[in-house]
Amino acid sequence: MRAIRRFTVRTVLPGELAALGELVHNLRWSWHPETLDLFADVDPDTWERVGGDPVALLGAVEAERLQQLTGDRRFLRRLADAADDLREYMTAPRWYQTIPGAPSAIAYFSPEYGIAAALPQYSGGLGILAGDHLKTASDLGVPILAVGLLYRHGYFSQTLSPEGWQLEHYPSLDPGGLPLTLLKDADGVPARVRIGLPQDRTMHAQIWVAQVGRVPLLLLDSDVAENDNAARDITDRLYGGGTDHRLMQELLLGVGGVRAIRQYCRITGHAEPEVFHTNEGHAGFLGLERIRELTESRLSFDEALEAVRAGTVFTTHTPVPAGIDRFPADMIARQFGGDNAWPTVSVERILALGAEPAPAGQEHEPGRGMFNMAVMGMRLAQRVNGVSRLHGEVSREMFQGLWPGFDLDDVPVGSITNGVHAPTWVGRELMELAGRELPSLIDSDQGWNSVQKITDKDIWEIRGTLRARLVHAARRRLRASWVDRGASVAELGWIDDALDPDVLTIGFARRVPSYKRLTLMLKDPARLRELLLHPERPVQIVIAGKAHPADEGGKKLIQQIVKFADAEDVRHRIVFLPDYDMNLGRLLVQGCDVWMNNPLRPLEACGTSGMKAALNGGLNLSIRDGWWDEWYDGTNGWAIPTADGVADPDRRDELEAAGLYDLIEHEVADRFYDRAADGLPRRWLEMVKHTLASLGPKVLAGRMLRDYVIDLYAPAAASARALAADDHAAAKGFAAWKLRVTQAWPGVRVEHVEAAGLGDTPEVGATLELRATIALGELEPGDVRVQAAYGRVGLHDELVGPDFADFAIDSVNDDGRAHFTGAIPLDRTGAFGYTIRVVPAHPLMDSPAELGLVAVPEAPAGMTNGTLR
């Protein structure tokens, strides 16, 4: 018989052990080995049985054992020390507290969070990054208040059928068995948020709090009695259901998330956020809710929009248009219109925020009636960034239509390259070695070049330990997988020798969309077999990954890999391990000698797994995409050649697979197996040390978060404060100015440009004097910025990466024409050109392109180019 309800009965801790509950319910244990050691000693056998889950440990340990511990003075001292250490960690000033004028709090919204395997609320890189963001914020003292959803079935657990087909399972999660606390009012009543739905329905949600070190993570849960069945299922699983279901999840995350923050701050006294960070478009509705709050406080929509934009940061994570959430516009209209309309926010303004810009001539093409969550997110944020330098470039091209008339370099989408949280991902042996030999690296993230002082022997021994740990864990998982697929234990003796702790080990693990090319390694199966079975320089490959449940193509790719790995001649050298999660990911990035990544360039936004491998002494073998394009230096790993420009996808795969095989055979394996007289691969270890020294300070999430604080959070807070001061006086003035400039812009023209000082033979080092006559229409000179764009020109007279020089106002005629003067240096030889542009100017603007307005001379008049000598 099956139970009709499942719940977790928590143990009652003796008073002497009360601090155990405090430690268990702060997820700092997920990156603090000393606390995990303490948990393990509560009951080693039970700890092993529950898979290292502290909450499950307290639910499973016998009362008799707990009573024994109350008399164990050594354990009680360790418990007291651990509790004191956590309290000091939670309260002591850290890096952030040294930043003048920093935001009092930052709200961070993400649909998924990879904190620990014991809290399975993630599917892939977006969630893992969000988890690392919170942990690093905690370590640096950044006052983030995070918001997500609590999925009662998580993402999914993955097994394989006998034929190697991915099967999904959705285990039911009981919040009582997770490291969560229900948010309640002072009178003990659970806090609720409510969202109106069409047809006079209401969605209710309660708020669970996961304490991630110093960072509270609010998780909204719609599985409450007040909801009808459809509303209760909104938070059933991550990325499940159809379009309606997805819209409801994103409404709850965005609108409900802001309301949850207000509840949490009211109940706990936590500072209200000054900055809101939207991690991808899923949470974009948070901006609408903040506009609603302000319009109900008597601001106009435009005034509220400016106040909201000033304090909002939007991070885009995908270079693939298909990865962006889009909803039919009529679905959005139903949600925010009719009997469910917000009185102070019109549905027409909401639809305009998410409307996709149409390419010229395609305004009436099918699909134009879509509401784009990323587009709305960008329109609601004054600061937008991608997650690597290359991804920033790709994003500027993807979204250039939002800023018509501006070149790609002017599109206001920057980049902050992702990083990873070392204490979560780096092997304990390496962390302890660094703590002994390089204390400055651990304490202050300084002294990475001192890695050269660590002996080759120490590094190689640790690498061997981590590789062996992966091999033994892989064998256990492989055996369990084969049993699940129907094999008998008697026929699985070969698994005892599957993989080899002394063989060059390559890792490949990630989600399985087609662009990540899981099966590129199978392009030439015979060549792959030769590499795996080489008599002197064998290679072994450990693979993991999940396809989205609706992605039949991704499942076929997994099946192809599994079928190849099932073959008797190679199954000891290549394995697919199902149910990729944080625990398996940690084993892989720590234990693999080489991390392989071969996406279709430039479709990988960042890809942080290779960063984790590098911090563990692994070397990257990757297509130059994402972060690797930015930080590969020729000697810190290998770059797989890319066949950019080859239109035939099969031919491109063939070329890039051939390059991959060649690198593995002639460079990677040669270097790994090239041993000195003492058995150490000196040239390999030289690369490992260089990788650690060159990449270590770059790939850390501490660098990433400092960049966010200095470049985005602090400026956003300053802007938000400026617009909110004096009852939002500046927001009101800025909105009025934008309206006036937008309406008057058709009257702005570049009428004439005069040049002097060029001479008959322009020479480098000279200065070109320019005078521009600008028709301002109804605007004043202070409303605009006149600039010369100058520099190298291409074949079609286009300026390539131009520099800009601002002009000064010289005079204004009675007819509204103004004269501006400036100068540009002839600072380079070769083909040179310039043009003039006029853009709006206001001290509260963060980018010249913010309004999407620009005036330039009519081509080709006003454009001069020539060759400098």
Side-chain angles (χ1 to χ4, degrees):
M1 292 185 293
R2 298 185 63 183
I4 62 171
R5 185 183 173 200
R6 174 180 173 171
F7 54 89
T8 300
V9 180
R10 294 187 176 183
T11 189
V12 177
L13 290 169
E16 298 89 337
L17 303 180
L20 263 181
E22 181 183 348
L23 293 172
V24 165
H25 280 88
N26 190 310
L27 283 153
R28 186 204 183 200
W29 56 255
S30 66
W31 72 93
H32 194 249
E34 292 80 6
T35 305
L36 291 175
D37 289 344
L38 183 73
F39 292 153
D41 287 345
V42 169
D43 188 333
D45 292 338
T46 302
W47 179 250
E48 184 73 21
R49 190 172 73 250
V50 300
D53 180 342
V55 180
L57 170 73
L58 292 191
V61 68
E62 297 292 340
E64 181 181 354
R65 173 57 181 162
L66 293 175
Q67 198 60 43
Q68 288 177 358
L69 289 174
T70 63
D72 186 334
R73 292 184 179 179
R74 181 175 176 274
F75 182 86
L76 292 178
R77 282 196 301 272
R78 291 174 60 206
L79 175 59
D81 288 345
D84 287 344
D85 180 74
L86 176 61
R87 291 165 193 148
E88 192 277 337
Y89 172 87
M90 294 288 288
T91 57
R94 292 183 171 268
W95 169 81
Y96 187 83
Q97 282 65 50
T98 68
I99 306 300
S104 56
I106 300 112
Y108 181 88
F109 285 64
S110 177
E112 52 176 299
Y113 290 91
I115 309 293
L119 187 63
Q121 302 291 306
Y122 58 92
S123 71
L126 179 67
I128 298 300
L129 172 75
D132 281 9
H133 200 100
L134 300 196
K135 294 174 186 177
T136 306
S138 176
D139 290 344
L140 294 179
V142 181
I144 280 180
L145 179 55
V147 180
L149 301 181
L150 180 67
Y151 305 98
R152 290 301 181 105
H153 297 282
Y155 188 42
F156 67 88
S157 296
Q158 176 198 49
T159 59
L160 299 174
S161 74
E163 298 76 28
W165 190 257
Q166 171 180 293
L167 304 175
E168 298 92 25
H169 311 275
Y170 294 90
S172 180
L173 302 175
D174 171 27
L178 299 174
L180 302 172
T181 303
L182 190 62
L183 181 66
K184 296 181 179 179
D185 282 318
D187 56 5
V189 176
R192 293 281 197 271
V193 299
R194 298 165 183 81
I195 299 175
L197 301 178
Q199 298 178 336
D200 203 28
R201 294 172 62 227
T202 301
M203 173 167 51
H204 305 259
Q206 58 191 356
I207 306 160
W208 296 91
V209 183
Q211 194 65 40
V212 186
R214 297 165 69 120
V215 174
L217 167 58
L218 313 183
L219 297 172
L220 280 73
D221 172 19
S222 70
D223 188 14
V224 294
E226 294 94 329
N227 284 332
D228 57 31
N229 288 336
R232 293 188 74 154
D233 285 343
I234 293 304
T235 55
D236 61 345
R237 63 189 62 176
L238 179 58
Y239 301 143
T243 305
D244 284 314
H245 188 269
R246 189 72 165 262
L247 176 60
M248 291 299 103
Q249 286 190 338
E250 299 190 3
L251 278 169
L252 182 57
L253 177 60
V255 175
V258 174
R259 296 177 184 179
I261 282 177
R262 305 307 185 206
Q263 291 266 40
Y264 182 83
C265 293
R266 175 183 60 81
I267 291 170
T268 67
H270 191 286
E272 289 280 355
E274 294 185 273
V275 173
F276 285 74
H277 185 173
T278 311
N279 195 33
E280 197 45 271
H282 311 286
F285 290 125
L286 73 87
L288 297 184
E289 170 63 7
R290 294 175 62 215
I291 288 174
R292 183 198 62 78
E293 291 178 331
L294 290 172
T295 55
E296 291 185 359
S297 299
R298 305 206 174 180
L299 292 187
S300 71
F301 183 94
D302 290 315
E303 294 163 353
L305 174 61
E306 296 309 325
V308 166
R309 288 185 73 252
T312 301
V313 172
F314 179 84
T315 299
T316 176
H317 288 264
T318 177
V320 184
I324 295 172
D325 282 342
R326 301 164 75 236
F327 298 103
D330 58 354
M331 183 181 291
I332 302 296
R334 283 195 302 274
Q335 172 58 39
F336 291 101
D339 61 355
N340 197 47
W342 289 346
T344 59
V345 181
S346 74
V347 68
E348 290 77 18
R349 296 302 301 266
I350 293 174
L351 290 172
L353 286 171
E356 298 176 338
Q362 298 182 24
E363 290 81 2
H364 304 292
E365 293 290 323
R368 294 260 64 85
M370 299 300 291
F371 186 93
N372 187 305
M373 294 296 289
V375 166
M376 177 180 67
M378 291 186 177
R379 287 184 173 133
L380 287 171
Q382 194 172 44
R383 291 162 181 85
V384 180
N385 70 287
V387 291
S388 70
R389 184 175 62 192
L390 179 60
H391 180 231
E393 296 172 6
V394 172
S395 298
R396 286 190 286 277
E397 185 172 356
M398 279 180 64
F399 296 104
Q400 186 178 16
L402 292 175
W403 295 275
F406 286 88
D407 292 340
L408 282 177
D409 289 343
D410 290 317
V411 172
V413 178
S415 66
I416 291 179
T417 303
N418 287 341
V420 299
H421 184 247
T424 295
W425 300 105
V426 175
R428 185 169 182 177
E429 294 83 355
L430 275 171
M431 294 291 284
E432 291 174 349
L433 175 66
R436 290 194 308 270
E437 303 294 332
L438 307 171
S440 64
L441 192 154
I442 296 297
D443 295 340
S444 58
D445 189 23
Q446 301 294 319
W448 280 92
N449 287 329
S450 299
V451 165
Q452 301 296 338
K453 298 177 182 178
I454 299 178
T455 68
D456 288 354
K457 182 174 181 291
D458 283 344
I459 292 179
W460 190 240
E461 285 181 353
I462 290 176
R463 289 297 316 145
T465 298
L466 298 175
R467 192 186 311 111
R469 183 180 299 153
L470 169 61
V471 166
H472 295 310
R475 289 172 181 169
R476 290 195 301 271
R477 286 174 174 261
L478 191 62
R479 188 181 304 276
S481 177
W482 275 87
V483 170
D484 283 343
R485 295 172 65 190
S488 67
V489 175
E491 61 185 307
L492 297 179
W494 62 272
I495 292 179
D496 294 337
D497 298 314
L499 306 179
D500 186 326
D502 297 318
V503 165
L504 170 62
T505 304
I506 297 176
F508 186 100
R510 51 213 342 104
R511 291 185 302 110
V512 191
S514 59
Y515 76 87
K516 291 183 183 284
R517 295 193 296 185
L518 169 68
T519 56
L520 185 70
M521 66 183 85
L522 298 184
K523 198 64 181 177
D524 185 344
R527 184 81 186 275
L528 179 58
R529 275 189 164 84
E530 291 175 2
L531 295 173
L532 297 171
L533 303 175
H534 194 284
E536 288 86 32
R537 299 188 303 279
V539 172
Q540 58 193 15
I541 306 177
V542 184
I543 306 165
K546 290 180 175 179
H548 187 281
D551 183 4
E552 296 294 305
K555 293 180 185 181
K556 288 179 182 177
L557 297 178
I558 290 175
Q559 186 178 48
Q560 291 171 29
I561 282 284
V562 172
K563 284 188 174 181
F564 182 88
D566 282 352
E568 289 189 20
D569 61 331
V570 296
R571 64 188 183 185
H572 64 300
R573 286 282 184 260
I574 181 169
V575 298
F576 180 89
L577 304 179
D579 210 21
Y580 181 37
D581 64 1
M582 287 187 71
N583 287 338
L584 178 54
R586 190 178 295 110
L587 284 166
L588 285 164
V589 297
Q590 292 176 6
C592 290
D593 301 293
V594 173
W595 197 259
M596 185 166 69
N597 186 28
N598 45 238
L600 270 172
R601 187 181 190 274
L603 301 184
E604 182 85 275
C606 185
T608 58
S609 296
M611 296 180 176
K612 300 162 191 166
L615 287 175
N616 281 287
L619 299 177
N620 277 270
L621 172 64
S622 177
I623 293 286
R624 290 195 62 168
D625 201 1
W627 75 274
W628 190 234
D629 180 75
E630 192 170 338
W631 289 332
Y632 168 68
D633 68 6
T635 56
N636 58 3
W638 295 273
I640 302 169
T642 55
D644 293 339
V646 176
D648 182 347
D650 288 334
R651 178 59 179 159
R652 178 171 180 169
D653 285 355
E654 287 175 5
L655 292 171
E656 295 185 5
L660 172 63
Y661 299 139
D662 287 343
L663 281 172
I664 293 174
E665 180 176 6
H666 300 301
E667 297 194 34
V668 180
D670 272 359
R671 188 172 289 242
F672 183 85
Y673 289 108
D674 179 15
R675 307 295 167 89
D678 58 5
L680 295 177
R682 299 288 184 184
R683 292 194 304 137
W684 183 272
L685 292 169
E686 179 184 352
M687 284 187 74
V688 168
K689 288 183 177 180
H690 174 65
T691 292
L692 287 167
S694 64
L695 293 180
K698 297 177 181 176
V699 303
L700 290 177
R703 185 273 315 153
M704 172 190 74
L705 200 61
R706 288 184 182 97
D707 288 348
Y708 272 105
V709 169
I710 300 300
D711 297 339
L712 297 178
Y713 293 163
S719 296
R721 291 168 188 159
L723 268 72
D726 299 324
D727 193 24
H728 293 91
K732 296 172 182 176
F734 193 28
W737 176 86
K738 277 192 172 182
L739 178 62
R740 179 171 62 83
V741 168
T742 301
Q743 291 176 339
W745 198 257
V748 177
R749 296 185 306 280
V750 179
E751 294 202 336
H752 184 64
V753 180
E754 300 173 5
L758 191 61
D760 295 331
T761 55
E763 294 183 352
V764 68
T767 298
L768 181 63
E769 305 288 341
L770 295 174
R771 177 181 171 89
T773 301
I774 310 297
L776 293 178
E778 298 178 6
L779 299 182
E780 300 295 327
D783 293 327
V784 301
R785 186 178 182 185
V786 179
Q787 297 177 309
Y790 64 93
R792 185 167 62 89
V793 293
L795 293 176
H796 304 289
D797 285 344
E798 74 280 7
L799 288 166
V800 180
D803 293 318
F804 292 90
D806 287 340
F807 282 28
I809 182 66
D810 183 58
S811 60
V812 181
N813 297 346
D814 293 339
D815 60 3
R817 287 175 172 79
H819 304 283
F820 293 79
T821 59
I824 57 176
L826 307 186
D827 56 359
R828 68 201 72 187
T829 58
F832 188 94
Y834 71 88
T835 189
I836 304 297
R837 76 174 185 182
V838 186
V839 294
H842 193 284
L844 292 173
M845 288 174 58
D846 190 59
S847 161
E850 186 167 316
L851 276 70
L853 302 174
V854 61
V856 296
E858 293 184 8
M863 175 72 182
T864 301
N865 65 63
T867 300
L868 302 187
R869 296 182 294 179

